[in-house]
Amino acid sequence: LSQARAGIISTVEVLKVMEAFVNEPNYTVWSDLSCNLGILGTLLSHTDFYEDIQAFVRDVFSPIGERLGWDPKPGEGHLDALLRGLVLGKLGKAGHKATLEEARRRFKEHVEGKQLLSADLRSPVYVTVLKHGDSSTLDTMLKLHKQADMQEEKNRIERVLGAIAQPELIQKVLTFALSEEVRPQDTVSVIGGVAGGSKQGRKAAWKFVRDNWEELYNRYQGGFLISRLIKV
């Protein structure tokens, strides 16, 4: 990917190499593939090829997703749990039909208190239902945030809210970022999630930061959070 970004080789060559990793079992390798495909997705989000790259993600990640399944198997280690979360989140965001349906089913049971999601499945399920959700999905997530008694769960929800796709709901998330519901040090995570969620989110987050620059700058002064905000 570094060579493709430098213009030395074609991005097609990168995609061909990625296809060779379908039987890869290692979390670190999949994490790298996921990150690189995320970069390509961002670059292609303004082109007609965006849906093609999403289809490519589904093709590359679905075999490992089927092998891992949704539930832990005996003898699995910590990295297997991380890999499952990574793969299911990637497939869910890319609109993999079976993953989306199962995520919605499990989310419903979680919200109703019938079967709570394990910690490692919450982020991928949340991000999947939000990416393909509506205003009621967002309202449910904000309700879960309000009810959460652990800061870890609040942060987990804050990081994924930006996955929501509709412009008016993106604005609602950005307004929420500056509300008293979110700790000042966590506001950046919410805005960053919006910026990384979609091309509409990126534009909206950039406008929001400019419109609210004075408040954000006064809040963080010259600290590392202001530089992180600009970076995201």
Side-chain angles (χ1 to χ4, degrees), residues 1-230:
L1 186 76
S2 296
Q3 286 192 312
R5 291 173 86 178
I8 297 167
I9 61 169
S10 165
T11 306
V12 174
E13 300 303 315
V14 181
L15 297 175
K16 284 179 180 173
V17 171
M18 284 183 175
E19 282 183 317
F21 284 95
V22 285
N23 295 314
E24 174 61 49
N26 187 285
Y27 165 74
T28 310
V29 176
W30 279 109
S31 180
D32 205 51
L33 287 169
S34 173
C35 180
N36 290 342
L37 276 166
I39 292 167
L40 285 176
T42 300
L43 289 170
L44 294 170
S45 64
H46 297 273
T47 72
D48 295 334
F49 296 108
Y50 183 68
E51 282 310 314
D52 294 325
I53 201 76
Q54 296 309 301
F56 183 81
V57 169
R58 295 193 292 270
D59 287 345
V60 171
F61 277 78
S62 54
I64 181 78
E66 285 167 22
R67 283 203 304 278
L68 286 166
W70 281 81
D71 301 303
K73 297 173 180 65
E76 275 189 358
H78 175 59
L79 288 178
D80 294 304
L82 287 176
L83 179 57
R84 180 175 289 106
L86 174 82
V87 170
L88 291 175
K90 200 75 176 172
L91 284 169
K93 277 194 287 187
H96 184 253
K97 194 166 179 289
T99 305
L100 176 56
E101 287 171 358
E102 183 64 9
R104 282 177 170 158
R105 187 187 72 78
R106 289 185 181 236
F107 181 68
K108 186 172 182 288
E109 290 198 339
H110 177 74
V111 171
E112 291 171 353
K114 291 178 182 173
Q115 181 72 50
L116 292 182
L117 288 162
S118 61
D120 51 305
L121 284 182
R122 289 188 187 188
S123 287
V125 167
Y126 291 168
V127 84
T128 299
V129 296
L130 278 164
K131 182 81 175 173
H132 308 280
D134 54 19
S135 58
S136 67
T137 316
L138 180 59
D139 288 343
T140 302
M141 287 302 307
L142 292 174
K143 189 177 171 186
L144 285 177
H145 180 275
K146 198 177 187 71
Q147 292 171 346
D149 50 7
M150 288 181 66
Q151 190 59 43
E152 181 189 13
E153 175 71 352
K154 286 186 184 290
N155 291 151
R156 185 184 284 123
I157 293 168
E158 288 161 2
R159 284 193 295 269
V160 299
L161 288 173
I164 202 83
Q166 294 92 322
E168 70 277 10
L169 299 180
I170 288 170
Q171 288 304 321
K172 189 173 179 178
V173 172
L174 289 168
T175 303
F176 172 76
L178 278 180
S179 73
E180 290 181 358
E181 296 282 332
V182 179
R183 298 188 308 180
Q185 64 264 42
D186 298 325
T187 295
V188 174
S189 294
V190 183
I191 299 172
V194 172
S198 62
K199 67 175 179 180
Q200 297 93 337
R202 197 151 51 252
K203 285 180 181 173
W206 176 225
K207 184 178 186 304
F208 183 80
V209 167
R210 281 180 296 163
D211 290 348
N212 295 277
W213 178 250
E214 201 170 331
E215 182 178 346
L216 289 162
Y217 185 77
N218 289 337
R219 182 183 281 201
Y220 302 121
Q221 297 298 325
F224 76 96
L225 280 168
I226 198 82
S227 59
R228 185 164 161 246
L229 176 66
I230 294 165

